[in-house]
Amino acid sequence: MGMQANAHIVWDWNGTLFHDNDAIIGATNAAFAELGLRAITMEEYRTLYCVPVPKFYERLLGRLPTDAEWEVMDDTFHRYYTEHRVVCGLTEGAADLLAGWRTTGRSQSILSMYVHDELVPLVREFGIEPHFIRVDGRTGPSGGSKAEHMVRHLEALTDVDPARTVVIGDAADDAVAALHVGARAVLYTGGSHSRASLEVVGVPVVDSLAEAVSEAERLAA
């Protein structure tokens, strides 16, 4: 089966298309409170955050959380996040960029580590689902890397060439996942990582989704 000529974008959701920083930091601090940890600022979060998530907690605890602690924190995080995500919206300009990419005949999809059964209706709620040929959220336990999920995601896409695929996300792990499957990556500074922590990965780093799409066009040319 031949590969299509057009470029493909795999979009991240949280912190990239979906501007949920306030809900994320609130949920993080709610989880920290369960272990008696002090609240952190968004700047501290963006400096310290890493994947897998238990390593992020290790940076603050000085040790990895126990299985019991992780379960409590993970449950608290997701409960708080679900309650507060309702006031969050799409990143500025995202809807127009998605429509513009689609009208050129090029394809795009979403791969997120957000729970699949909650991701799909949320994407549908914003009226952007028709722009994507596939929307995949996480199935199975949380806390891991996106790399293996990316393998399955691309395998499920018909006639999409990894060499002409660009992953756009806000975390270093998005770039790791892209490189794992032979794709390119562009990282966006508006989400969970600071610019300094993204630049060490060695892929283009941009400050807007419009810049990210322009870079994707260049990389997939």
Side-chain angles (χ1 to χ4, degrees):
M1 184 176 294
M3 292 297 184
Q4 69 176 36
N6 290 329
H8 180 83
I9 291 176
V10 178
W11 290 94
D12 174 54
W13 179 248
N14 302 95
T16 304
L17 289 176
F18 189 46
H19 187 65
D20 58 352
N21 288 359
D22 289 344
I24 289 286
I25 191 64
T28 297
N29 283 328
F32 286 173
E34 292 290 331
L35 267 64
L37 292 170
R38 70 170 180 86
I40 63 172
T41 66
M42 191 67 210
E43 183 178 355
E44 289 174 311
Y45 178 91
R46 284 161 51 82
T47 299
L48 295 170
Y49 182 74
C50 64
V51 174
V53 180
K55 296 291 290 182
F56 169 51
Y57 292 147
E58 181 182 25
R59 292 182 174 185
L60 295 148
L61 280 170
R63 60 175 176 80
L64 281 170
T66 66
D67 289 345
E69 288 172 335
W70 165 250
E71 185 174 344
V72 169
M73 296 174 80
D74 191 49
D75 179 70
T76 301
F77 177 94
H78 286 99
R79 186 172 64 251
Y80 182 102
Y81 179 84
T82 298
E83 292 172 359
H84 290 79
R85 75 170 192 215
V86 294
V87 298
C88 301
L90 294 177
T91 300
E92 184 177 357
D96 289 341
L97 289 166
L98 294 172
W101 186 265
R102 182 187 179 200
T103 57
T104 63
R106 294 171 293 191
S107 61
Q108 55 198 329
S109 59
I110 292 177
L111 175 62
S112 172
M113 297 300 280
Y114 190 46
V115 180
H116 181 79
D117 290 343
E118 296 183 33
L119 171 67
V120 173
L122 187 55
V123 171
R124 190 170 296 146
E125 180 182 314
F126 282 112
I128 58 174
E129 187 182 22
H131 297 318
F132 305 106
I133 61 173
R134 188 176 182 88
V135 175
D136 281 335
R138 174 178 53 81
T139 57
S142 62
S145 173
K146 187 180 270 190
E148 292 307 317
H149 296 270
M150 187 67 72
V151 172
R152 291 191 292 273
H153 183 72
L154 288 188
E155 285 177 347
L157 298 178
T158 303
D159 294 347
V160 169
D161 182 359
R164 299 210 63 210
T165 296
V166 179
V167 176
I168 298 178
D170 69 314
D173 192 50
D174 291 305
V176 171
L179 297 174
H180 184 69
V181 295
R184 308 290 188 89
V186 179
L187 298 180
Y188 163 61
T189 62
S192 61
H193 283 216
S194 66
R195 172 176 276 277
S197 63
L198 295 177
E199 287 179 337
V200 301
V201 185
V203 302
V205 177
V206 299
D207 296 320
S208 72
L209 294 189
E211 290 176 275
V213 171
S214 293
E215 277 295 308
E217 290 178 321
R218 183 183 67 82
L219 291 171

